[in-house]
Structures are given as C-alpha cells and as structure tokens.
Amino acid sequence: DAQQQAETLAALKITRPEKVAVFCPGAEYGPAKRWPAKHLASLAETLSQRGYQLWLLGSTKDRAIAEAIIAQATSVSPGGLLNLCGTTSLAQAIDLIAAAAFVVCNDSGLMHVAAALGRPLIAVYGSSSPGFTPPLSEQAQVISLGLTCSPCFKRDCPLGHLDCLNQLTPDRVLAACPPSVNEETS
C-alpha cells in the first residue's frame, strides 16, 4: 500500500519520481533467459528521454548486469538509472514494483511478483516458454520471437547465438509498453 511504499522509499533514501519504470534484468536460471544489457540500455535511454526514472531490481547476482546497463545507457542522466540489485529485501522490492508505472523483466521470480501486483508488465522470454511459466495477469504483455530453436529450455544457448533474445529489439519491447508511454511521442 501507499504507506509501505513510502516507508520503503524513505528507508532506501529514494525520492519517488513523477514517472518510474522498473527493470528486472536478472534470471536465476541462466543467460538464455536474460534479455541483453545492451537492449535494456537502449530501452532505458528512450524511456529516460520520455521522463522516466528507471529502477533496476534483482539479487546481488544481478548487480553486474545492472551496472552493464548503466554503463551502456550513456545518454541517461546521472541518477536516471538506479541500481538497487542486491540492496533491497524482497518486501522492499515488492513495494518498489508496486510503485512503478510498468515493469520490464525476463521470465523470473520478480516477473511473477509484478504479475501478482497487477502492474503493467512486459515479460521477455528467450529459452523458456510462456506456455509453462506465464505471468498470471491481464496486465502482462508476453514478448517472445518463437524461433524454431526456442524454447530450448537451456541455461546457455546450445547454438551459441542467443538469437531468441538478441533479435528481440528494444523497439518491439517499447511498443509493448503501456499506451501512455508511446502516446507521449505521437
């Protein structure tokens, strides 16, 4: 609720921006379930230009990918991307997701949290299948290329190319964002 969100923001010393989106860049299962940092960085740059601050959430293991996103999102102003991976409790991550306008994430535990909270959600699938692990929410948009090699259900791409994720462009994910995100430039 709003009080819990305010307490979490105060505990983390975060001022709630007018517009915030959450990225959950990790996936415990392995790299074949993680949308590339370069794509998240590109999406972050576009969203930043549209006035969004971005909070990166995940475990301590996800800090490195979050730092890679920040390093590659060169046009995002300082403070526009906040790496909170490994710095929040699960309860705090839930509060931050609940405060977001929308969430972009891989097939992961935090994807299911965002779905349970009813947040607008763009769920990116690579080696896994939304037929087996879908986000259970009418607010979720599932993005998957459906290539002949996917879903393979592997931790690492057995073909060495990760086309199921590399070819899934930031523009396609942006188009799946809530209409208000894309209407701002129309």
Side-chain angles (χ1 to χ4, degrees), residues 71-128:
Q72 293 175 49
T74 56
S75 71
V76 176
S77 63
L81 270 165
L82 189 56
N83 183 357
L84 298 166
C85 293
T87 65
T88 66
S89 67
L90 180 56
Q92 289 173 322
I94 290 168
D95 288 335
L96 295 175
I97 290 170
F102 63 95
V103 179
V104 176
C105 58
N106 301 307
D107 176 15
S108 66
L110 289 178
M111 175 196 73
H112 295 292
V113 168
L117 291 169
R119 301 310 312 138
L121 166 65
I122 300 86
V124 177
Y125 280 77
S127 70
S128 59

Short mmCIF file of all heavy atoms in Angstrom, two decimals, residues 71-128:
data_model
loop_
_atom_site.label_atom_id
_atom_site.label_comp_id
_atom_site.label_asym_id
_atom_site.label_seq_id
_atom_site.Cartn_x
_atom_site.Cartn_y
_atom_site.Cartn_z
N ALA A 71 26.26 1.45 -17.61
CA ALA A 71 27.44 1.85 -18.39
C ALA A 71 27.12 2.05 -19.87
O ALA A 71 27.70 2.93 -20.52
CB ALA A 71 28.55 0.80 -18.23
N GLN A 72 26.19 1.26 -20.40
CA GLN A 72 25.86 1.35 -21.82
C GLN A 72 24.79 2.39 -22.13
O GLN A 72 24.65 2.80 -23.28
CB GLN A 72 25.42 -0.03 -22.33
CG GLN A 72 26.55 -1.04 -22.32
CD GLN A 72 26.09 -2.43 -22.71
OE1 GLN A 72 25.41 -2.60 -23.71
NE2 GLN A 72 26.47 -3.42 -21.92
N ALA A 73 24.05 2.80 -21.14
CA ALA A 73 22.99 3.80 -21.34
C ALA A 73 23.60 5.19 -21.16
O ALA A 73 23.28 5.92 -20.23
CB ALA A 73 21.85 3.56 -20.36
N THR A 74 24.47 5.56 -22.07
CA THR A 74 25.28 6.77 -21.92
C THR A 74 24.49 8.07 -21.98
O THR A 74 24.95 9.08 -21.45
CB THR A 74 26.40 6.80 -22.98
OG1 THR A 74 25.80 6.70 -24.28
CG2 THR A 74 27.38 5.65 -22.78
N SER A 75 23.31 8.05 -22.60
CA SER A 75 22.55 9.31 -22.69
C SER A 75 21.61 9.52 -21.49
O SER A 75 20.96 10.55 -21.40
CB SER A 75 21.74 9.36 -23.99
OG SER A 75 20.66 8.45 -23.95
N VAL A 76 21.55 8.55 -20.58
CA VAL A 76 20.70 8.71 -19.40
C VAL A 76 21.45 9.56 -18.39
O VAL A 76 22.61 9.29 -18.07
CB VAL A 76 20.32 7.34 -18.79
CG1 VAL A 76 19.52 7.52 -17.51
CG2 VAL A 76 19.53 6.51 -19.80
N SER A 77 20.79 10.58 -17.88
CA SER A 77 21.44 11.48 -16.93
C SER A 77 21.78 10.74 -15.64
O SER A 77 21.12 9.77 -15.28
CB SER A 77 20.54 12.68 -16.63
OG SER A 77 19.35 12.24 -16.01
N PRO A 78 22.80 11.23 -14.92
CA PRO A 78 23.15 10.61 -13.64
C PRO A 78 21.92 10.57 -12.73
O PRO A 78 21.19 11.55 -12.62
CB PRO A 78 24.24 11.52 -13.08
CG PRO A 78 24.84 12.18 -14.29
CD PRO A 78 23.69 12.34 -15.25
N GLY A 79 21.69 9.44 -12.12
CA GLY A 79 20.53 9.27 -11.26
C GLY A 79 19.29 8.79 -11.99
O GLY A 79 18.29 8.43 -11.37
N GLY A 80 19.34 8.77 -13.31
CA GLY A 80 18.20 8.32 -14.10
C GLY A 80 18.02 6.82 -14.09
O GLY A 80 16.94 6.31 -14.36
N LEU A 81 19.10 6.12 -13.79
CA LEU A 81 19.09 4.67 -13.66
C LEU A 81 19.63 4.35 -12.28
O LEU A 81 20.76 4.70 -11.96
CB LEU A 81 20.00 4.02 -14.70
CG LEU A 81 19.41 3.64 -16.05
CD1 LEU A 81 20.51 3.37 -17.05
CD2 LEU A 81 18.49 2.45 -15.94
N LEU A 82 18.85 3.69 -11.47
CA LEU A 82 19.23 3.40 -10.10
C LEU A 82 19.37 1.89 -9.93
O LEU A 82 18.39 1.16 -10.05
CB LEU A 82 18.19 3.97 -9.15
CG LEU A 82 18.48 3.97 -7.66
CD1 LEU A 82 19.80 4.69 -7.35
CD2 LEU A 82 17.34 4.63 -6.92
N ASN A 83 20.60 1.43 -9.67
CA ASN A 83 20.86 0.01 -9.48
C ASN A 83 20.56 -0.37 -8.03
O ASN A 83 21.33 -0.06 -7.13
CB ASN A 83 22.31 -0.32 -9.82
CG ASN A 83 22.61 -1.79 -9.71
OD1 ASN A 83 21.77 -2.61 -9.32
ND2 ASN A 83 23.83 -2.17 -10.07
N LEU A 84 19.45 -1.04 -7.83
CA LEU A 84 19.05 -1.49 -6.50
C LEU A 84 19.22 -2.99 -6.33
O LEU A 84 18.77 -3.55 -5.33
CB LEU A 84 17.59 -1.08 -6.24
CG LEU A 84 17.34 0.43 -6.24
CD1 LEU A 84 15.86 0.74 -6.33
CD2 LEU A 84 17.96 1.07 -5.01
N CYS A 85 19.85 -3.63 -7.30
CA CYS A 85 20.05 -5.08 -7.25
C CYS A 85 20.89 -5.45 -6.02
O CYS A 85 21.98 -4.91 -5.83
CB CYS A 85 20.72 -5.59 -8.51
SG CYS A 85 19.70 -5.43 -9.99
N GLY A 86 20.35 -6.32 -5.22
CA GLY A 86 21.06 -6.78 -4.03
C GLY A 86 21.01 -5.84 -2.84
O GLY A 86 21.58 -6.13 -1.81
N THR A 87 20.31 -4.71 -2.98
CA THR A 87 20.26 -3.74 -1.87
C THR A 87 18.90 -3.69 -1.18
O THR A 87 18.75 -2.99 -0.19
CB THR A 87 20.63 -2.32 -2.34
OG1 THR A 87 19.64 -1.87 -3.25
CG2 THR A 87 21.99 -2.29 -3.00
N THR A 88 17.93 -4.41 -1.72
CA THR A 88 16.60 -4.40 -1.14
C THR A 88 16.25 -5.77 -0.59
O THR A 88 16.75 -6.79 -1.06
CB THR A 88 15.52 -4.02 -2.19
OG1 THR A 88 15.46 -5.05 -3.17
CG2 THR A 88 15.81 -2.69 -2.84
N SER A 89 15.36 -5.78 0.36
CA SER A 89 14.75 -7.04 0.78
C SER A 89 13.68 -7.38 -0.25
O SER A 89 13.30 -6.54 -1.07
CB SER A 89 14.12 -6.88 2.17
OG SER A 89 13.01 -6.00 2.08
N LEU A 90 13.16 -8.59 -0.19
CA LEU A 90 12.08 -8.95 -1.10
C LEU A 90 10.86 -8.06 -0.86
O LEU A 90 10.23 -7.60 -1.81
CB LEU A 90 11.71 -10.43 -0.95
CG LEU A 90 10.58 -10.92 -1.86
CD1 LEU A 90 10.88 -10.67 -3.33
CD2 LEU A 90 10.31 -12.40 -1.61
N ALA A 91 10.56 -7.79 0.40
CA ALA A 91 9.42 -6.93 0.72
C ALA A 91 9.61 -5.53 0.13
O ALA A 91 8.67 -4.93 -0.40
CB ALA A 91 9.21 -6.85 2.22
N GLN A 92 10.83 -5.00 0.19
CA GLN A 92 11.10 -3.68 -0.40
C GLN A 92 10.99 -3.72 -1.92
O GLN A 92 10.46 -2.80 -2.54
CB GLN A 92 12.48 -3.19 0.02
CG GLN A 92 12.57 -2.79 1.48
CD GLN A 92 13.99 -2.47 1.91
OE1 GLN A 92 14.95 -3.12 1.47
NE2 GLN A 92 14.12 -1.47 2.77
N ALA A 93 11.49 -4.79 -2.54
CA ALA A 93 11.37 -4.93 -3.99
C ALA A 93 9.90 -4.96 -4.39
O ALA A 93 9.50 -4.34 -5.39
CB ALA A 93 12.09 -6.18 -4.47
N ILE A 94 9.08 -5.64 -3.61
CA ILE A 94 7.64 -5.68 -3.88
C ILE A 94 7.05 -4.28 -3.81
O ILE A 94 6.28 -3.87 -4.69
CB ILE A 94 6.94 -6.65 -2.91
CG1 ILE A 94 7.35 -8.10 -3.24
CG2 ILE A 94 5.43 -6.49 -2.96
CD1 ILE A 94 6.95 -9.12 -2.18
N ASP A 95 7.43 -3.51 -2.79
CA ASP A 95 6.94 -2.13 -2.67
C ASP A 95 7.36 -1.28 -3.86
O ASP A 95 6.57 -0.48 -4.37
CB ASP A 95 7.44 -1.49 -1.38
CG ASP A 95 6.78 -2.05 -0.13
OD1 ASP A 95 5.65 -2.56 -0.22
OD2 ASP A 95 7.41 -1.98 0.94
N LEU A 96 8.60 -1.43 -4.31
CA LEU A 96 9.10 -0.63 -5.43
C LEU A 96 8.40 -1.03 -6.74
O LEU A 96 8.08 -0.16 -7.56
CB LEU A 96 10.61 -0.77 -5.55
CG LEU A 96 11.41 -0.19 -4.37
CD1 LEU A 96 12.89 -0.48 -4.53
CD2 LEU A 96 11.15 1.30 -4.20
N ILE A 97 8.19 -2.31 -6.94
CA ILE A 97 7.46 -2.77 -8.13
C ILE A 97 6.04 -2.21 -8.10
O ILE A 97 5.51 -1.74 -9.12
CB ILE A 97 7.47 -4.31 -8.24
CG1 ILE A 97 8.89 -4.79 -8.59
CG2 ILE A 97 6.46 -4.80 -9.26
CD1 ILE A 97 9.09 -6.30 -8.49
N ALA A 98 5.42 -2.23 -6.94
CA ALA A 98 4.05 -1.70 -6.81
C ALA A 98 3.98 -0.21 -7.12
O ALA A 98 2.94 0.28 -7.56
CB ALA A 98 3.53 -1.98 -5.40
N ALA A 99 5.08 0.51 -6.93
CA ALA A 99 5.12 1.95 -7.17
C ALA A 99 5.39 2.30 -8.63
O ALA A 99 5.26 3.46 -9.03
CB ALA A 99 6.18 2.60 -6.28
N ALA A 100 5.76 1.31 -9.44
CA ALA A 100 6.17 1.56 -10.82
C ALA A 100 4.97 1.74 -11.75
O ALA A 100 3.92 1.12 -11.57
CB ALA A 100 7.02 0.40 -11.32
N ALA A 101 5.16 2.55 -12.77
CA ALA A 101 4.15 2.70 -13.82
C ALA A 101 4.04 1.41 -14.62
O ALA A 101 2.96 1.02 -15.05
CB ALA A 101 4.50 3.87 -14.74
N PHE A 102 5.19 0.74 -14.83
CA PHE A 102 5.23 -0.54 -15.52
C PHE A 102 6.56 -1.21 -15.25
O PHE A 102 7.50 -0.59 -14.75
CB PHE A 102 4.97 -0.40 -17.03
CG PHE A 102 6.00 0.39 -17.77
CD1 PHE A 102 7.06 -0.23 -18.41
CD2 PHE A 102 5.90 1.77 -17.83
CE1 PHE A 102 8.02 0.52 -19.10
CE2 PHE A 102 6.85 2.53 -18.51
CZ PHE A 102 7.91 1.90 -19.14
N VAL A 103 6.63 -2.50 -15.60
CA VAL A 103 7.80 -3.32 -15.31
C VAL A 103 8.22 -4.06 -16.59
O VAL A 103 7.36 -4.58 -17.31
CB VAL A 103 7.50 -4.36 -14.20
CG1 VAL A 103 8.70 -5.23 -13.90
CG2 VAL A 103 7.00 -3.65 -12.94
N VAL A 104 9.53 -4.10 -16.84
CA VAL A 104 10.09 -4.89 -17.94
C VAL A 104 11.00 -5.93 -17.30
O VAL A 104 11.90 -5.56 -16.53
CB VAL A 104 10.90 -4.02 -18.93
CG1 VAL A 104 11.56 -4.89 -20.00
CG2 VAL A 104 10.02 -2.95 -19.57
N CYS A 105 10.74 -7.19 -17.58
CA CYS A 105 11.58 -8.22 -16.96
C CYS A 105 11.61 -9.50 -17.78
O CYS A 105 10.80 -9.70 -18.69
CB CYS A 105 11.13 -8.50 -15.54
SG CYS A 105 9.44 -9.03 -15.40
N ASN A 106 12.57 -10.31 -17.43
CA ASN A 106 12.70 -11.64 -18.00
C ASN A 106 11.74 -12.57 -17.28
O ASN A 106 11.12 -12.22 -16.29
CB ASN A 106 14.15 -12.13 -17.80
CG ASN A 106 15.15 -11.21 -18.44
OD1 ASN A 106 15.06 -10.89 -19.61
ND2 ASN A 106 16.11 -10.76 -17.66
N ASP A 107 11.66 -13.80 -17.77
CA ASP A 107 10.91 -14.85 -17.09
C ASP A 107 11.66 -15.14 -15.80
O ASP A 107 12.69 -15.81 -15.81
CB ASP A 107 10.84 -16.08 -18.00
CG ASP A 107 10.17 -17.26 -17.35
OD1 ASP A 107 9.50 -17.10 -16.31
OD2 ASP A 107 10.33 -18.38 -17.88
N SER A 108 11.16 -14.61 -14.70
CA SER A 108 11.87 -14.70 -13.42
C SER A 108 10.88 -14.60 -12.28
O SER A 108 9.70 -14.33 -12.48
CB SER A 108 12.89 -13.56 -13.31
OG SER A 108 12.22 -12.31 -13.25
N GLY A 109 11.38 -14.76 -11.08
CA GLY A 109 10.55 -14.62 -9.90
C GLY A 109 9.94 -13.24 -9.79
O GLY A 109 8.75 -13.11 -9.43
N LEU A 110 10.72 -12.20 -10.07
CA LEU A 110 10.18 -10.84 -9.97
C LEU A 110 9.11 -10.57 -11.03
O LEU A 110 8.23 -9.74 -10.83
CB LEU A 110 11.30 -9.80 -10.01
CG LEU A 110 12.17 -9.75 -8.75
CD1 LEU A 110 13.29 -8.73 -8.91
CD2 LEU A 110 11.36 -9.46 -7.50
N MET A 111 9.18 -11.29 -12.16
CA MET A 111 8.11 -11.18 -13.15
C MET A 111 6.79 -11.63 -12.53
O MET A 111 5.76 -10.97 -12.69
CB MET A 111 8.41 -12.04 -14.38
CG MET A 111 7.26 -12.05 -15.39
SD MET A 111 7.37 -13.37 -16.60
CE MET A 111 6.94 -14.80 -15.59
N HIS A 112 6.84 -12.73 -11.79
CA HIS A 112 5.63 -13.24 -11.16
C HIS A 112 5.14 -12.31 -10.05
O HIS A 112 3.93 -12.17 -9.84
CB HIS A 112 5.85 -14.67 -10.65
CG HIS A 112 6.10 -15.63 -11.78
ND1 HIS A 112 5.13 -15.98 -12.68
CD2 HIS A 112 7.23 -16.29 -12.16
CE1 HIS A 112 5.63 -16.83 -13.57
NE2 HIS A 112 6.91 -17.02 -13.27
N VAL A 113 6.06 -11.64 -9.36
CA VAL A 113 5.68 -10.65 -8.35
C VAL A 113 4.95 -9.49 -9.03
O VAL A 113 3.87 -9.07 -8.57
CB VAL A 113 6.92 -10.14 -7.57
CG1 VAL A 113 6.57 -8.91 -6.74
CG2 VAL A 113 7.50 -11.24 -6.69
N ALA A 114 5.51 -8.98 -10.13
CA ALA A 114 4.87 -7.87 -10.84
C ALA A 114 3.48 -8.28 -11.34
O ALA A 114 2.53 -7.49 -11.26
CB ALA A 114 5.75 -7.41 -12.00
N ALA A 115 3.36 -9.51 -11.82
CA ALA A 115 2.06 -10.00 -12.28
C ALA A 115 1.07 -10.08 -11.12
O ALA A 115 -0.08 -9.66 -11.25
CB ALA A 115 2.21 -11.37 -12.95
N ALA A 116 1.54 -10.58 -9.99
CA ALA A 116 0.66 -10.71 -8.82
C ALA A 116 0.20 -9.34 -8.32
O ALA A 116 -0.91 -9.21 -7.80
CB ALA A 116 1.38 -11.46 -7.70
N LEU A 117 1.04 -8.33 -8.49
CA LEU A 117 0.69 -6.97 -8.07
C LEU A 117 -0.20 -6.26 -9.09
O LEU A 117 -0.65 -5.14 -8.85
CB LEU A 117 1.96 -6.14 -7.85
CG LEU A 117 2.80 -6.55 -6.65
CD1 LEU A 117 4.16 -5.86 -6.68
CD2 LEU A 117 2.07 -6.24 -5.35
N GLY A 118 -0.41 -6.89 -10.24
CA GLY A 118 -1.25 -6.29 -11.26
C GLY A 118 -0.63 -5.12 -11.98
O GLY A 118 -1.33 -4.29 -12.56
N ARG A 119 0.72 -5.03 -11.95
CA ARG A 119 1.40 -3.93 -12.63
C ARG A 119 1.42 -4.21 -14.13
O ARG A 119 1.56 -5.36 -14.55
CB ARG A 119 2.85 -3.78 -12.15
CG ARG A 119 3.02 -3.49 -10.67
CD ARG A 119 2.17 -2.37 -10.11
NE ARG A 119 2.21 -1.15 -10.89
CZ ARG A 119 1.13 -0.40 -11.15
NH1 ARG A 119 -0.05 -0.70 -10.70
NH2 ARG A 119 1.25 0.68 -11.86
N PRO A 120 1.31 -3.18 -14.97
CA PRO A 120 1.56 -3.39 -16.39
C PRO A 120 2.96 -3.99 -16.54
O PRO A 120 3.92 -3.50 -15.94
CB PRO A 120 1.46 -1.99 -16.99
CG PRO A 120 0.56 -1.26 -16.04
CD PRO A 120 0.93 -1.81 -14.68
N LEU A 121 3.07 -5.04 -17.31
CA LEU A 121 4.27 -5.86 -17.34
C LEU A 121 4.60 -6.28 -18.76
O LEU A 121 3.72 -6.74 -19.49
CB LEU A 121 4.01 -7.09 -16.46
CG LEU A 121 4.95 -8.28 -16.52
CD1 LEU A 121 6.33 -7.92 -16.02
CD2 LEU A 121 4.37 -9.43 -15.71
N ILE A 122 5.86 -6.12 -19.14
CA ILE A 122 6.36 -6.64 -20.40
C ILE A 122 7.32 -7.75 -20.02
O ILE A 122 8.38 -7.51 -19.43
CB ILE A 122 7.07 -5.57 -21.25
CG1 ILE A 122 6.10 -4.42 -21.58
CG2 ILE A 122 7.58 -6.19 -22.54
CD1 ILE A 122 6.02 -3.36 -20.55
N ALA A 123 6.94 -9.00 -20.31
CA ALA A 123 7.70 -10.18 -19.94
C ALA A 123 8.43 -10.72 -21.16
O ALA A 123 7.80 -11.14 -22.13
CB ALA A 123 6.78 -11.24 -19.35
N VAL A 124 9.76 -10.71 -21.10
CA VAL A 124 10.60 -11.14 -22.21
C VAL A 124 10.98 -12.61 -22.02
O VAL A 124 11.52 -12.99 -20.97
CB VAL A 124 11.88 -10.27 -22.29
CG1 VAL A 124 12.80 -10.75 -23.38
CG2 VAL A 124 11.50 -8.80 -22.50
N TYR A 125 10.72 -13.41 -23.04
CA TYR A 125 11.02 -14.84 -22.99
C TYR A 125 12.04 -15.20 -24.05
O TYR A 125 11.92 -14.80 -25.20
CB TYR A 125 9.76 -15.67 -23.23
CG TYR A 125 8.89 -15.81 -22.01
CD1 TYR A 125 8.08 -14.76 -21.59
CD2 TYR A 125 8.90 -16.97 -21.27
CE1 TYR A 125 7.29 -14.88 -20.46
CE2 TYR A 125 8.10 -17.10 -20.14
CZ TYR A 125 7.31 -16.06 -19.74
OH TYR A 125 6.54 -16.19 -18.63
N GLY A 126 13.04 -15.99 -23.65
CA GLY A 126 14.06 -16.50 -24.56
C GLY A 126 13.99 -18.01 -24.60
O GLY A 126 13.23 -18.59 -25.36
N SER A 127 14.76 -18.66 -23.73
CA SER A 127 14.84 -20.12 -23.75
C SER A 127 13.68 -20.81 -23.07
O SER A 127 13.53 -22.02 -23.19
CB SER A 127 16.15 -20.57 -23.09
OG SER A 127 16.10 -20.33 -21.69
N SER A 128 12.85 -20.06 -22.38
CA SER A 128 11.72 -20.67 -21.68
C SER A 128 10.43 -20.40 -22.46
O SER A 128 10.42 -19.69 -23.46
CB SER A 128 11.64 -20.14 -20.25
OG SER A 128 11.49 -18.74 -20.25
#
